[in-house]
Amino acid sequence: MTGGSIAVRRLSQQVRLLSSSRSSMVSTFGTRLIGAPNTLEHRVFIEHNGSVVSSFHDVPLFADQSNGILNMIVEVPRWTNAKMEISKEEPFNPIKQDIKKGRLRFVRNCFPHHGYIWNYGAFPQTWEDPAALHPETKAKGDNDPLDVCEIGEQVGYVGQVKQVKVLGIMALLDEGETDWKVIVVDVHDPLASKLNDIEDVERHLPGLIRATNEWFRIYKIPDGKGENAFAFSGEAKNKKYATEIIHECNEAWRRLITGDSPAKTPTYEIAVRNLTNPNSPGLVTRNDPTYANLPPDSRQPPALIDPSISKWFYISSVQV
């Protein structure tokens, strides 16, 4: 049996194990919004049955034990610019807007793209280990949950937990780190039954993989940085390869949450408080002060943003 086959078999076994113990968590997620979008104070917590859970550690990776369906968390809805992301550092890992040099971060519009061109987010219970050098990309992990691009037609919302099927994966090399981008589709999308592997994406959504490659290559150029590079010459790998990477990142997260990999080093500190992982040093009850003192929902209308965020940037290096 090949290494790839073993990885797929082990992932299938974990699907059955985790789904049997956590299947009740799949369909009853909501969001708790704190403050106004486009402000430093804004947070989006994931709730399950009205109670906050960790978006990183408590939302199960697997949603369906028999059909290969996974949960993804939407951080950035399609066509929006605010760089929202799961906070690794704050207790119970709310989604917040990234900050650069004290200012809220917005991704620029690189013609002909507007904002993000998919629902962008992450797989819970995955971690790209910054101490692990990938043998094919020759770069270490980026210390984040595994990134996901959901290509269905519905525009999501921040904090939405979508059930998705895996189609393929791309390996961005972002500032010297491996930054995998998993291509998925919402299982409820009208095209979901026709999209089963990466070659189906080009057949039914021609140009999307090419546009995805271009988007990630150039999106930092308006901020004064160079083009990003890809491993595998920019090729999108198939579902089988993607499944192996998901397994590796789930295993890395398991080492993190159980304490086998350090959550605190001289270069980073990850909040591992959670409610559902019995072998975790970070396991707490709802009576824990850090949990009991979480703020109630205080959602407000979005704050105004600088009109320059809507500007289009024309990048001369774009390959047509």
Side-chain angles (χ1 to χ4, degrees), residues 12-267:
S12 298
Q13 290 170 344
Q14 288 200 359
V15 169
R16 290 192 292 273
L17 175 63
L18 288 170
S19 296
S20 62
S21 64
R22 297 181 182 176
S23 59
S24 64
M25 289 191 69
V26 169
S27 59
T28 51
F29 292 105
T31 55
R32 179 183 298 187
L33 276 59
I34 310 302
N38 308 319
T39 67
L40 294 170
E41 297 76 26
H42 182 54
R43 299 290 186 274
V44 179
F45 286 94
I46 306 296
E47 291 187 335
H48 176 245
N49 290 336
S51 297
V52 167
V53 294
S54 165
S55 59
F56 196 170
H57 309 304
D58 288 324
V59 178
L61 172 59
F62 304 108
D64 188 290
Q65 62 177 339
S66 59
N67 293 310
I69 298 171
L70 284 71
N71 288 317
M72 76 163 284
I73 297 173
V74 176
E75 297 168 310
V76 187
R78 190 170 74 239
W79 297 328
T80 64
N81 300 76
K83 183 67 174 75
M84 306 293 292
E85 58 186 20
I86 292 171
S87 171
K88 302 190 301 290
E89 299 78 19
E90 297 184 12
F92 305 101
N93 314 104
I95 299 170
K96 67 175 186 178
Q97 192 166 350
D98 190 25
I99 300 170
K100 293 293 184 184
K101 298 179 179 179
R103 301 182 65 182
L104 294 172
R105 182 179 170 198
F106 294 88
V107 168
R108 303 296 185 172
N109 300 309
C110 295
F111 183 85
H113 311 300
H114 180 263
Y116 284 69
I117 60 174
W118 349 255
N119 293 308
Y120 188 70
F123 279 138
Q125 299 187 337
T126 63
W127 182 51
E128 295 192 55
D129 187 348
L133 184 74
H134 192 272
E136 293 186 85
T137 67
K138 311 299 183 186
K140 295 180 179 180
D142 72 349
N143 194 32
D144 283 327
L146 196 54
D147 292 329
V148 183
C149 302
E150 193 279 309
I151 62 174
E153 67 178 38
Q154 181 194 56
V155 177
Y157 57 88
V158 179
Q160 182 179 14
V161 179
K162 277 180 171 284
Q163 283 70 59
V164 301
K165 56 197 269 191
V166 174
L167 304 174
I169 194 167
M170 304 175 81
L172 182 68
L173 300 176
D174 192 351
E175 300 182 18
E177 298 174 328
T178 302
D179 191 4
W180 296 104
K181 308 296 180 184
V182 187
I183 310 298
V184 306
V185 66
D186 190 320
V187 296
H188 302 295
D189 190 81
L191 279 178
S193 63
K194 297 180 179 179
L195 298 174
N196 297 295
D197 215 320
I198 197 64
E199 63 268 17
D200 298 325
V201 178
E202 184 59 30
R203 183 179 302 117
H204 296 285
L205 302 169
L208 181 57
I209 296 300
R210 176 170 171 260
T212 297
N213 179 297
E214 176 186 275
W215 195 97
F216 281 116
R217 278 196 301 106
I218 68 175
Y219 81 104
K220 291 186 176 180
I221 291 178
D223 293 321
K225 297 185 177 181
E227 284 193 14
N228 282 320
F230 279 91
F232 314 119
S233 301
E235 174 192 1
K237 294 291 192 177
N238 64 14
K239 178 178 182 176
K240 179 181 178 182
Y241 193 98
T243 300
E244 294 169 3
I245 297 300
I246 295 167
H247 166 76
E248 291 173 8
C249 292
N250 178 241
E251 285 289 305
W253 168 82
R254 192 167 306 283
R255 293 190 296 271
L256 173 70
I257 200 65
T258 57
D260 291 339
S261 293
K264 183 177 181 180
T265 74
T267 57

